[in-house]
Amino acid sequence: MAGGVRRGGGGARPLVLLCAAAVSLGGAQVTSETKEVPENQPVDIPCSAYRSSWTDIRIEWKFQKGSSLGLFYYGGELTDPYKNRVRFSVTSIHLTAVTREDTGKYICKVVGGGSQIAKSEVNLIVQVPPSKPTAHVPSSATIGRTAVLRCSESEGSPPPTFRWYRDSMLIPADPRSSLSFRNSSYTLDSTTGELTFNPVSAFDTGDYYCEASNNVGTAQRSDTVRMEASELNVGGVVAAVVVLLTLLGLIAFGLWFAYSRGHFQRKDTASKKVIYSQPSQRSDGDFKQTSSFLV
């Protein structure tokens, strides 16, 4: 590699190194690590695969986000859209200000003379505070049935965890651990944000809101939604069934009555009959009717 290549600029905020590993893949040494950096801050992503002792070195960088994989640095040049925001050196790449779109895997591949190959990977997590979550709470729940409350948030990175509150009191993971919730039966998943009552009890009536946090910035709280737990209205159900049966009976009676009156019978189109009557003997002065027809 030609001399005079600039190394990554200094002054970057210290990154959190979560894990590092080294494996051998198809004869190539592969190292892997994870870093976190706040959004809009600079970051240096190292190429641990670089070997100063190798000759005829060729370096490639790739960026993987989900199932998408694209070239970042190839043929001695940065590709678009990284030319104006990335500095390259043989040992690292420097991003001047990361955005949430930069979260992903950065793969450095180094090829030396004599078929020497080494790879290093950095999983970069750009830290983004959670936005205001949305609490999906049913306005009413039937006692003895199942009710699911959901908390959702889509911007936080890393993905946030969730907590639930009822009447401004934190709902513990285990209802048996609190005197205020020991009469409730529920499961709480802090990762998905689901609070499931199974079954709902009268004690579950209250004002609910959820909170999302990922240790970046401050935790965010949803709006408050009230849920009323009530008994199944058996009287109302019976009344509705009686009304429905009455309507069906009236419809059936109406159909029967119309049928009995012949409204649904096909009318016979009788053929026209012609009746001929012979003229009677009349005097010449009388009006003579030669024939008559009756239809």
Side-chain angles (χ1 to χ4, degrees):
M1 179 65 65
V5 179
R6 292 186 299 174
R7 297 184 181 272
R13 181 175 295 184
L15 304 178
V16 180
L17 178 60
L18 298 182
C19 62
V23 296
S24 178
L25 182 62
Q29 293 181 349
V30 181
T31 61
S32 178
E33 61 182 276
T34 298
K35 291 191 174 189
E36 294 186 5
V37 60
E39 191 174 27
N40 300 318
Q41 294 297 318
V43 61
D44 287 310
I45 302 178
C47 178
S48 302
Y50 176 72
R51 303 290 186 270
S52 59
S53 59
W54 289 4
T55 59
D56 299 326
I57 288 179
R58 177 167 55 88
I59 298 177
E60 295 177 2
W61 278 93
K62 294 180 181 180
F63 175 63
Q64 182 176 353
K65 190 177 184 68
S67 60
S68 176
L69 181 66
L71 283 170
F72 192 100
Y73 179 85
Y74 181 76
E77 292 185 357
L78 290 163
T79 60
D80 291 329
Y82 302 106
K83 289 183 178 180
N84 298 325
R85 56 189 296 261
V86 175
R87 294 201 304 265
F88 168 83
S89 75
V90 293
T91 58
S92 67
I93 53 175
H94 176 78
L95 281 73
T96 55
V98 294
T99 69
R100 62 194 68 190
E101 297 301 322
D102 293 322
T103 294
K105 181 184 292 185
Y106 294 79
I107 305 169
C108 179
K109 179 181 178 181
V110 180
V111 180
S115 301
Q116 296 168 305
I117 299 176
K119 289 183 180 181
S120 61
E121 300 176 351
V122 175
N123 293 301
L124 180 65
I125 299 175
V126 178
Q127 298 173 334
V128 181
S131 59
K132 180 179 179 179
T134 301
H136 306 272
V137 181
S139 59
S140 62
T142 302
I143 295 175
R145 302 287 182 86
T146 299
V148 180
L149 284 63
R150 295 181 175 87
C151 189
S152 60
E153 192 280 334
S154 58
E155 295 186 12
S157 177
T161 56
F162 301 94
R163 297 192 297 181
W164 278 94
Y165 293 80
R166 187 187 73 191
D167 299 331
S168 299
M169 295 181 61
L170 177 63
I171 299 177
D174 186 354
R176 295 171 298 180
S177 65
S178 171
L179 293 176
S180 301
F181 295 93
R182 64 180 180 180
N183 292 317
S184 296
S185 178
Y186 62 81
T187 56
L188 176 59
D189 191 327
S190 61
T191 303
T192 62
E194 286 194 356
L195 173 61
T196 304
F197 292 97
N198 189 19
V200 174
S201 70
F203 299 97
D204 299 326
T205 292
D207 296 324
Y208 289 84
Y209 64 85
C210 63
E211 191 177 73
S213 62
N214 62 355
N215 297 323
V216 183
T218 58
Q220 297 295 314
R221 179 177 296 181
S222 72
D223 292 331
T224 301
V225 183
R226 185 166 183 81
M227 185 180 77
E228 293 284 349
S230 58
E231 295 281 359
L232 180 65
N233 189 354
V234 178
V237 173
V238 172
V241 172
V242 170
V243 172
L244 178 61
L245 292 177
T246 301
L247 290 175
L248 291 176
L250 290 174
I251 293 172
F253 176 78
L255 292 174
W256 172 83
F257 183 80
Y259 184 82
S260 66
R261 292 291 181 176
H263 294 294
F264 296 128
Q265 295 179 1
R266 176 181 291 182
K267 294 183 178 180
D268 252 353
T269 56
S271 59
K272 294 182 180 181
K273 297 181 180 180
V274 179
I275 301 175
Y276 178 79
S277 62
Q278 293 292 338
S280 59
Q281 297 292 332
R282 299 179 183 273
S283 61
D284 291 338
D286 296 332
F287 172 77
K288 294 182 180 179
Q289 182 180 358
T290 58
S291 63
S292 61
F293 296 87
L294 176 62
V295 178

PDB file of all heavy atoms in Angstrom, residues 166 169-170 172 175-184 186 203-204:
ATOM      1  N   ARG A 166     -49.369   1.037  36.563  1.00  0.00           N
ATOM      2  CA  ARG A 166     -50.810   1.148  36.791  1.00  0.00           C
ATOM      3  C   ARG A 166     -51.050   2.132  37.921  1.00  0.00           C
ATOM      4  O   ARG A 166     -50.483   1.967  39.012  1.00  0.00           O
ATOM      5  CB  ARG A 166     -51.411  -0.215  37.157  1.00  0.00           C
ATOM      6  CG  ARG A 166     -52.956  -0.188  37.248  1.00  0.00           C
ATOM      7  CD  ARG A 166     -53.493  -1.489  37.777  1.00  0.00           C
ATOM      8  NE  ARG A 166     -53.236  -1.626  39.216  1.00  0.00           N
ATOM      9  CZ  ARG A 166     -53.416  -2.757  39.905  1.00  0.00           C
ATOM     10  NH1 ARG A 166     -53.810  -3.856  39.271  1.00  0.00           N
ATOM     11  NH2 ARG A 166     -53.161  -2.787  41.196  1.00  0.00           N
ATOM     12  N   MET A 169     -48.015   3.385  39.570  1.00  0.00           N
ATOM     13  CA  MET A 169     -47.188   2.429  40.318  1.00  0.00           C
ATOM     14  C   MET A 169     -46.541   1.451  39.348  1.00  0.00           C
ATOM     15  O   MET A 169     -47.211   0.910  38.466  1.00  0.00           O
ATOM     16  CB  MET A 169     -48.039   1.660  41.339  1.00  0.00           C
ATOM     17  CG  MET A 169     -48.626   2.522  42.437  1.00  0.00           C
ATOM     18  SD  MET A 169     -49.590   1.535  43.618  1.00  0.00           S
ATOM     19  CE  MET A 169     -48.307   0.441  44.241  1.00  0.00           C
ATOM     20  N   LEU A 170     -45.220   1.252  39.514  1.00  0.00           N
ATOM     21  CA  LEU A 170     -44.504   0.326  38.642  1.00  0.00           C
ATOM     22  C   LEU A 170     -45.040  -1.089  38.821  1.00  0.00           C
ATOM     23  O   LEU A 170     -45.146  -1.592  39.947  1.00  0.00           O
ATOM     24  CB  LEU A 170     -43.013   0.367  38.959  1.00  0.00           C
ATOM     25  CG  LEU A 170     -42.122  -0.611  38.181  1.00  0.00           C
ATOM     26  CD1 LEU A 170     -42.149  -0.300  36.692  1.00  0.00           C
ATOM     27  CD2 LEU A 170     -40.688  -0.582  38.723  1.00  0.00           C
ATOM     28  N   PRO A 172     -44.484  -4.827  38.856  1.00  0.00           N
ATOM     29  CA  PRO A 172     -43.318  -5.711  38.951  1.00  0.00           C
ATOM     30  C   PRO A 172     -43.436  -6.893  37.994  1.00  0.00           C
ATOM     31  O   PRO A 172     -44.535  -7.236  37.525  1.00  0.00           O
ATOM     32  CB  PRO A 172     -43.349  -6.170  40.410  1.00  0.00           C
ATOM     33  CG  PRO A 172     -44.796  -6.112  40.782  1.00  0.00           C
ATOM     34  CD  PRO A 172     -45.373  -4.952  40.036  1.00  0.00           C
ATOM     35  N   PRO A 175     -46.138 -10.638  40.053  1.00  0.00           N
ATOM     36  CA  PRO A 175     -47.180 -10.007  40.881  1.00  0.00           C
ATOM     37  C   PRO A 175     -47.122 -10.420  42.347  1.00  0.00           C
ATOM     38  O   PRO A 175     -47.577  -9.675  43.220  1.00  0.00           O
ATOM     39  CB  PRO A 175     -48.478 -10.474  40.216  1.00  0.00           C
ATOM     40  CG  PRO A 175     -48.115 -11.693  39.450  1.00  0.00           C
ATOM     41  CD  PRO A 175     -46.706 -11.485  39.002  1.00  0.00           C
ATOM     42  N   ARG A 176     -46.545 -11.587  42.618  1.00  0.00           N
ATOM     43  CA  ARG A 176     -46.485 -12.054  44.008  1.00  0.00           C
ATOM     44  C   ARG A 176     -45.478 -11.271  44.840  1.00  0.00           C
ATOM     45  O   ARG A 176     -45.469 -11.372  46.066  1.00  0.00           O
ATOM     46  CB  ARG A 176     -46.135 -13.541  44.031  1.00  0.00           C
ATOM     47  CG  ARG A 176     -47.196 -14.436  43.401  1.00  0.00           C
ATOM     48  CD  ARG A 176     -46.704 -15.862  43.249  1.00  0.00           C
ATOM     49  NE  ARG A 176     -45.545 -15.926  42.362  1.00  0.00           N
ATOM     50  CZ  ARG A 176     -44.909 -17.062  42.045  1.00  0.00           C
ATOM     51  NH1 ARG A 176     -45.324 -18.215  42.563  1.00  0.00           N
ATOM     52  NH2 ARG A 176     -43.873 -17.037  41.231  1.00  0.00           N
ATOM     53  N   SER A 177     -44.638 -10.484  44.170  1.00  0.00           N
ATOM     54  CA  SER A 177     -43.618  -9.731  44.899  1.00  0.00           C
ATOM     55  C   SER A 177     -44.130  -8.410  45.444  1.00  0.00           C
ATOM     56  O   SER A 177     -43.395  -7.703  46.129  1.00  0.00           O
ATOM     57  CB  SER A 177     -42.416  -9.467  43.983  1.00  0.00           C
ATOM     58  OG  SER A 177     -42.790  -8.627  42.895  1.00  0.00           O
ATOM     59  N   SER A 178     -45.381  -8.053  45.148  1.00  0.00           N
ATOM     60  CA  SER A 178     -45.921  -6.771  45.583  1.00  0.00           C
ATOM     61  C   SER A 178     -47.313  -6.962  46.175  1.00  0.00           C
ATOM     62  O   SER A 178     -48.150  -7.666  45.610  1.00  0.00           O
ATOM     63  CB  SER A 178     -45.996  -5.798  44.396  1.00  0.00           C
ATOM     64  OG  SER A 178     -46.698  -4.629  44.736  1.00  0.00           O
ATOM     65  N   LEU A 179     -47.559  -6.310  47.317  1.00  0.00           N
ATOM     66  CA  LEU A 179     -48.878  -6.380  47.929  1.00  0.00           C
ATOM     67  C   LEU A 179     -49.936  -5.724  47.051  1.00  0.00           C
ATOM     68  O   LEU A 179     -51.109  -6.107  47.083  1.00  0.00           O
ATOM     69  CB  LEU A 179     -48.849  -5.691  49.303  1.00  0.00           C
ATOM     70  CG  LEU A 179     -48.014  -6.378  50.390  1.00  0.00           C
ATOM     71  CD1 LEU A 179     -47.998  -5.533  51.664  1.00  0.00           C
ATOM     72  CD2 LEU A 179     -48.575  -7.770  50.694  1.00  0.00           C
ATOM     73  N   SER A 180     -49.532  -4.732  46.249  1.00  0.00           N
ATOM     74  CA  SER A 180     -50.493  -4.009  45.416  1.00  0.00           C
ATOM     75  C   SER A 180     -50.930  -4.808  44.200  1.00  0.00           C
ATOM     76  O   SER A 180     -51.963  -4.499  43.588  1.00  0.00           O
ATOM     77  CB  SER A 180     -49.884  -2.676  44.958  1.00  0.00           C
ATOM     78  OG  SER A 180     -49.540  -1.874  46.062  1.00  0.00           O
ATOM     79  N   PHE A 181     -50.155  -5.843  43.823  1.00  0.00           N
ATOM     80  CA  PHE A 181     -50.464  -6.579  42.597  1.00  0.00           C
ATOM     81  C   PHE A 181     -50.631  -8.084  42.828  1.00  0.00           C
ATOM     82  O   PHE A 181     -50.803  -8.825  41.859  1.00  0.00           O
ATOM     83  CB  PHE A 181     -49.349  -6.346  41.559  1.00  0.00           C
ATOM     84  CG  PHE A 181     -49.252  -4.927  41.095  1.00  0.00           C
ATOM     85  CD1 PHE A 181     -48.397  -4.036  41.721  1.00  0.00           C
ATOM     86  CD2 PHE A 181     -50.024  -4.469  40.037  1.00  0.00           C
ATOM     87  CE1 PHE A 181     -48.305  -2.709  41.304  1.00  0.00           C
ATOM     88  CE2 PHE A 181     -49.940  -3.158  39.611  1.00  0.00           C
ATOM     89  CZ  PHE A 181     -49.078  -2.271  40.243  1.00  0.00           C
ATOM     90  N   ARG A 182     -50.599  -8.521  44.070  1.00  0.00           N
ATOM     91  CA  ARG A 182     -50.646  -9.959  44.323  1.00  0.00           C
ATOM     92  C   ARG A 182     -51.989 -10.577  43.964  1.00  0.00           C
ATOM     93  O   ARG A 182     -52.095 -11.801  43.805  1.00  0.00           O
ATOM     94  CB  ARG A 182     -50.318 -10.246  45.782  1.00  0.00           C
ATOM     95  CG  ARG A 182     -51.319  -9.680  46.776  1.00  0.00           C
ATOM     96  CD  ARG A 182     -50.913 -10.002  48.204  1.00  0.00           C
ATOM     97  NE  ARG A 182     -51.863  -9.452  49.182  1.00  0.00           N
ATOM     98  CZ  ARG A 182     -51.728  -9.599  50.493  1.00  0.00           C
ATOM     99  NH1 ARG A 182     -50.678 -10.253  50.966  1.00  0.00           N
ATOM    100  NH2 ARG A 182     -52.623  -9.074  51.308  1.00  0.00           N
ATOM    101  N   ASN A 183     -53.048  -9.755  43.836  1.00  0.00           N
ATOM    102  CA  ASN A 183     -54.355 -10.272  43.441  1.00  0.00           C
ATOM    103  C   ASN A 183     -54.536 -10.319  41.925  1.00  0.00           C
ATOM    104  O   ASN A 183     -55.599 -10.710  41.444  1.00  0.00           O
ATOM    105  CB  ASN A 183     -55.466  -9.423  44.052  1.00  0.00           C
ATOM    106  CG  ASN A 183     -55.534  -9.560  45.565  1.00  0.00           C
ATOM    107  OD1 ASN A 183     -55.424 -10.656  46.096  1.00  0.00           O
ATOM    108  ND2 ASN A 183     -55.704  -8.434  46.265  1.00  0.00           N
ATOM    109  N   SER A 184     -53.517  -9.920  41.192  1.00  0.00           N
ATOM    110  CA  SER A 184     -53.561  -9.957  39.729  1.00  0.00           C
ATOM    111  C   SER A 184     -52.795 -11.170  39.215  1.00  0.00           C
ATOM    112  O   SER A 184     -51.875 -11.668  39.875  1.00  0.00           O
ATOM    113  CB  SER A 184     -52.965  -8.675  39.131  1.00  0.00           C
ATOM    114  OG  SER A 184     -53.731  -7.554  39.477  1.00  0.00           O
ATOM    115  N   TYR A 186     -50.757 -12.078  35.828  1.00  0.00           N
ATOM    116  CA  TYR A 186     -50.272 -11.563  34.545  1.00  0.00           C
ATOM    117  C   TYR A 186     -48.850 -12.022  34.283  1.00  0.00           C
ATOM    118  O   TYR A 186     -48.146 -12.511  35.181  1.00  0.00           O
ATOM    119  CB  TYR A 186     -50.330 -10.033  34.527  1.00  0.00           C
ATOM    120  CG  TYR A 186     -49.454  -9.366  35.578  1.00  0.00           C
ATOM    121  CD1 TYR A 186     -48.081  -9.192  35.390  1.00  0.00           C
ATOM    122  CD2 TYR A 186     -50.008  -8.904  36.769  1.00  0.00           C
ATOM    123  CE1 TYR A 186     -47.289  -8.593  36.344  1.00  0.00           C
ATOM    124  CE2 TYR A 186     -49.222  -8.297  37.735  1.00  0.00           C
ATOM    125  CZ  TYR A 186     -47.872  -8.139  37.521  1.00  0.00           C
ATOM    126  OH  TYR A 186     -47.085  -7.553  38.475  1.00  0.00           O
ATOM    127  N   PHE A 203     -59.357  -6.360  40.153  1.00  0.00           N
ATOM    128  CA  PHE A 203     -58.266  -5.523  40.643  1.00  0.00           C
ATOM    129  C   PHE A 203     -57.462  -4.888  39.501  1.00  0.00           C
ATOM    130  O   PHE A 203     -56.624  -4.021  39.745  1.00  0.00           O
ATOM    131  CB  PHE A 203     -57.322  -6.352  41.518  1.00  0.00           C
ATOM    132  CG  PHE A 203     -57.981  -6.929  42.740  1.00  0.00           C
ATOM    133  CD1 PHE A 203     -58.453  -8.233  42.733  1.00  0.00           C
ATOM    134  CD2 PHE A 203     -58.148  -6.170  43.883  1.00  0.00           C
ATOM    135  CE1 PHE A 203     -59.057  -8.776  43.859  1.00  0.00           C
ATOM    136  CE2 PHE A 203     -58.765  -6.702  45.008  1.00  0.00           C
ATOM    137  CZ  PHE A 203     -59.225  -8.004  44.995  1.00  0.00           C
ATOM    138  N   ASP A 204     -57.711  -5.318  38.273  1.00  0.00           N
ATOM    139  CA  ASP A 204     -56.910  -4.841  37.144  1.00  0.00           C
ATOM    140  C   ASP A 204     -57.445  -3.548  36.531  1.00  0.00           C
ATOM    141  O   ASP A 204     -56.832  -3.012  35.603  1.00  0.00           O
ATOM    142  CB  ASP A 204     -56.822  -5.932  36.067  1.00  0.00           C
ATOM    143  CG  ASP A 204     -56.147  -7.188  36.590  1.00  0.00           C
ATOM    144  OD1 ASP A 204     -55.231  -7.059  37.421  1.00  0.00           O
ATOM    145  OD2 ASP A 204     -56.547  -8.301  36.188  1.00  0.00           O
TER     146      ASP A 204
END
